[in-house]
Amino acid sequence: MRMDLLYWVMKSDLSRRTILQAAGVGALAPPLHPATVAVSPKICLELSGRLQAANLDEAGMRRVKQLGVDDVAMGGPPMPWEESAIRAVMERLKASGLTLGNMMIGGFRNAIYGAPGRDAEIEKVRQSIRAAGRAGLPVIEYNFYAHRLVEGYYEETGRAGAGLTAFDYDRVKDLPPLPEEGAHTLEEMWSNAAYFLKAVVPVAAEAGVRLALHPNDPPAPLSRGSGQIMGTVEGWKRLVDMVPSPSNGITFDCGVTREMGHDPVEVFRYFGSRDCINHVHFRNVRVRKPYEKYTEVFLDEGQIDMFAVMRELVRQRYPRLIYPEHPRALDADREQAGFHPYYPGGGGYAGYAYNVGYTRAMLQAAMSL
């Protein structure tokens, strides 16, 4: 195994976010597609510093298991991935009773921008997909945005002083493009995405790996002057139709779906019936203006009927991971030495414990129907 990959396995913060820093539907539900591996979602957590489980240490992995979670997602190593490194991580997790179901890939900015050097990056992505397939990794997640408008996030105060994460496009809509990123039109971004997908999706299909493109979050109309291909439901549809394959799928995020003003149940029904949802994020929001002004809240207090979402996942026999992400900031986390939330108003282990408990209750109730 290369020494840089060994270092990644043992020492790196495996937060996928850190690495990347890097609906017209019919009224009647479509027929179910056959389940392939399981008949219900698998609740997962992302191994990261927020869980104090970023380095695959025994104590950190035990924290995940204590919440009744058996499946994890994480950020991947630098490209190109090697089968031996992926297997080493999977075996280390397996020894603690955990299964790796999703790894995020990054490091192909030239491909996103359509810049010189993109073919070399895409070849590394293809090599990484093949390595993941040989190791038995089922899903690779990725982003494809010119810029992520996190500058628009700020903290709001929730119940009893808990932290919430809010977004306001007015605060950031006039920010100029960054010199290292530039500004890219929507059609330019689509052209770059098509070039990328046509090169990597056939490789993923051959390797038995599903790709999951996360929506633009925030889904603002422009992000420092650049268009956002995954900032609308119509964009999600265009993406999966561009190279039709179960390996060309999306991360369905019910929070982002509501941020864009859509009904998450109907949107999941559309994509789920086409077998192109390869990962799920489970969170709730209150929206003041679609795309532009909203607040991420506790799972039990937003505008989304979370049980209806879970019931649809179960009805369609969605078999892959569901991640109850973006924990709210609780005093139990804030009081921990060295705690640093990734988002304003974001939480840590205590917040995740709440999210997992709520999500498990939704899943158990939906499965009992």
Side-chain angles (χ1 to χ4, degrees), residues 41-45 69-71 320-322 324 356 359-360 363:
K42 297 187 282 272
I43 297 173
C44 79
L45 285 172
V69 172
D70 299 322
D71 297 270
R320 285 169 286 279
L321 301 187
I322 177 169
V356 168
T359 304
R360 184 176 303 284
L363 178 57

Side-chain angles (χ1 to χ4, degrees), residues 311-353:
R311 190 168 52 197
E312 185 64 21
L313 267 67
V314 169
R315 191 195 72 82
Q316 291 207 32
R317 297 183 178 181
Y318 167 76
R320 285 169 286 279
L321 301 187
I322 177 169
Y323 177 25
E325 62 164 359
H326 293 199
R328 306 286 25 105
L330 303 174
D331 290 347
D333 286 322
R334 289 166 164 164
E335 292 165 358
Q336 296 297 312
F339 173 69
H340 298 289
Y342 186 77
Y343 298 106
Y349 186 79
Y352 276 121

Side-chain angles (χ1 to χ4, degrees), residues 106-127:
F108 46 92
R109 303 303 291 174
N110 290 327
I112 292 173
Y113 299 142
R118 69 174 175 178
D119 288 334
E121 290 181 348
I122 289 173
E123 182 53 36
K124 289 182 179 180
V125 174
R126 288 157 56 97
Q127 292 176 32

Side-chain angles (χ1 to χ4, degrees), residues 170-247:
D170 285 340
R171 293 180 172 215
V172 291
K173 64 182 181 181
D174 296 323
L175 289 178
L178 296 175
E180 64 272 23
E181 295 175 346
H184 306 268
T185 67
L186 184 60
E187 282 310 310
E188 181 185 351
M189 292 297 297
W190 274 119
S191 176
N192 297 341
Y195 189 91
F196 179 81
L197 291 173
K198 290 174 183 177
V200 303
V201 171
V203 173
E206 183 178 355
V209 173
R210 287 175 176 251
L211 304 177
L213 178 54
H214 193 284
N216 288 111
D217 184 26
L222 286 174
S223 187
R224 281 191 178 263
S226 290
Q228 305 212 83
I229 63 171
M230 292 293 282
T232 65
V233 169
E234 289 306 314
W236 300 4
K237 293 177 180 179
R238 181 173 176 177
L239 184 284
V240 299
D241 288 342
M242 189 167 281
V243 184
S245 169
S247 290

Side-chain angles (χ1 to χ4, degrees), residues 6-40:
L6 179 61
Y7 178 82
W8 161 76
V9 171
M10 300 302 296
K11 297 294 184 183
S12 66
D13 181 341
L14 298 173
S15 166
R16 298 175 298 158
R17 301 290 193 191
T18 301
I19 286 173
L20 282 181
Q21 182 90 23
V25 258
L28 297 178
L32 298 175
H33 58 77
T36 55
V37 178
V39 294
S40 71

Side-chain angles (χ1 to χ4, degrees), residues 41 252-258 263-265 268 280-286 297-314 322-326 354-355 358-366 369:
F252 172 78
D253 188 318
C254 57
V256 175
T257 307
R258 177 56 72 188
D263 177 359
V265 173
F268 184 91
V280 169
H281 286 179
F282 196 69
R283 60 185 180 85
N284 212 337
V285 294
R286 287 197 296 259
V297 297
F298 285 95
L299 285 166
D300 64 271
E301 62 178 2
Q303 295 169 340
I304 302 173
D305 184 339
M306 303 302 289
F307 182 60
V309 173
M310 184 65 78
R311 190 168 52 197
E312 185 64 21
L313 267 67
V314 169
I322 177 169
Y323 177 25
E325 62 164 359
H326 293 199
Y354 170 84
N355 282 8
Y358 185 98
T359 304
R360 184 176 303 284
M362 295 291 99
L363 178 57
Q364 289 178 339
L369 296 178

